[in-house]
Amino acid sequence: MLAANPLIQVTPGLMIWTIICFGITFFVLRKYAFGPIQQMIDARRERIEQAITEADNAREEARNLLEEHRKLIGQAKAESEEILAEARRIADAQRERVREETEEDRQRRLEETRRQIEQATAQALGAIRDEVGKLSLLAAEKITRKSLTDKDQQRLIDEALAEIDFSQLEGTRT
């Protein structure tokens, strides 16, 4: 039954025409299909290789840029720390200057207050002395029940001198 199938039977004429058709098809395909397809594959391979080379170059450039960026960030951090340190130093100096000015102002006001207190004390003592003198005269007038005239004052002085024993004073000198 297998031999009855015409596709399995070997026919030399058909075999030769099949080989000739295969050869012509192969030649046409090679000339018009395989060549351009191979060229496209080669061109694509070159583009891929070029893209890989460019990607490697870009990766290397990106690494260099990243390293440079990291250096710049490090420099920026160092500069910012330096600026902060300078700002702190200036702030400390200003704080110290303000403290000194405040202390000087406090001392000046304290001196001014002391001077004013001394003036007020001197004025108060003068007023007290005047008042004590007036009160003493008033008390003396009330005691004597009259105002003392010049004649009365001279008489009181003479009486006081008469009561003093000058002999005792002379004995103490020797």
Side-chain angles (χ1 to χ4, degrees):
M1 187 155 148
L2 286 178
N5 190 349
L7 291 176
I8 299 179
Q9 289 178 350
V10 177
T11 317
L14 184 62
M15 197 186 251
I16 291 175
W17 282 110
T18 304
I19 291 174
I20 291 173
C21 285
F22 177 77
I24 292 171
T25 306
F26 183 74
F27 175 74
V28 170
L29 285 176
R30 183 165 183 187
K31 180 153 185 129
Y32 295 105
F34 293 151
I37 290 173
Q38 187 65 39
Q39 287 175 355
M40 285 189 316
I41 290 172
D42 291 341
R44 187 165 184 219
R45 182 181 301 126
E46 287 176 15
R47 283 194 312 266
I48 290 172
E49 287 175 358
Q50 185 179 10
I52 289 172
T53 304
E54 288 175 1
D56 288 341
N57 292 340
R59 186 180 319 125
E60 187 63 34
E61 186 177 336
R63 283 183 188 152
N64 291 339
L65 288 175
L66 180 62
E67 186 63 32
E68 185 177 326
H69 181 69
R70 286 180 180 162
K71 286 179 183 176
L72 289 175
I73 288 175
Q75 289 174 350
K77 283 182 182 179
E79 287 176 8
S80 68
E81 288 175 6
E82 186 176 308
I83 289 170
L84 285 175
E86 180 69 17
R88 285 184 190 117
R89 187 188 61 75
I90 289 171
D92 289 343
Q94 286 179 348
R95 188 179 4 220
E96 184 63 25
R97 182 180 51 81
V98 167
R99 188 190 62 76
E100 288 173 359
E101 288 175 359
T102 303
E103 183 62 25
E104 289 173 3
D105 187 51
R106 186 184 71 80
Q107 288 295 332
R108 184 182 50 79
R109 288 182 185 203
L110 189 60
E111 270 311 306
E112 180 66 24
T113 304
R114 284 184 187 142
R115 187 183 59 74
Q116 289 174 355
I117 289 171
E118 288 173 0
Q119 283 180 341
T121 302
Q123 288 175 352
L125 287 176
I128 290 173
R129 284 187 195 122
D130 289 345
E131 202 57 39
V132 167
K134 288 178 186 176
L135 287 175
S136 297
L137 284 177
L138 188 62
E141 283 181 12
K142 285 189 177 187
I143 291 174
T144 60
R145 298 259 184 222
K146 60 180 179 177
S147 290
L148 295 175
T149 62
D150 288 338
K151 195 189 261 185
D152 290 336
Q153 285 179 359
Q154 188 61 39
R155 183 181 53 78
L156 286 173
I157 291 172
D158 289 340
E159 287 176 6
L161 287 175
E163 292 177 6
I164 297 176
D165 188 12
F166 289 107
S167 61
Q168 289 178 349
L169 289 176
E170 287 178 8
T172 58
R173 277 185 173 185
T174 52

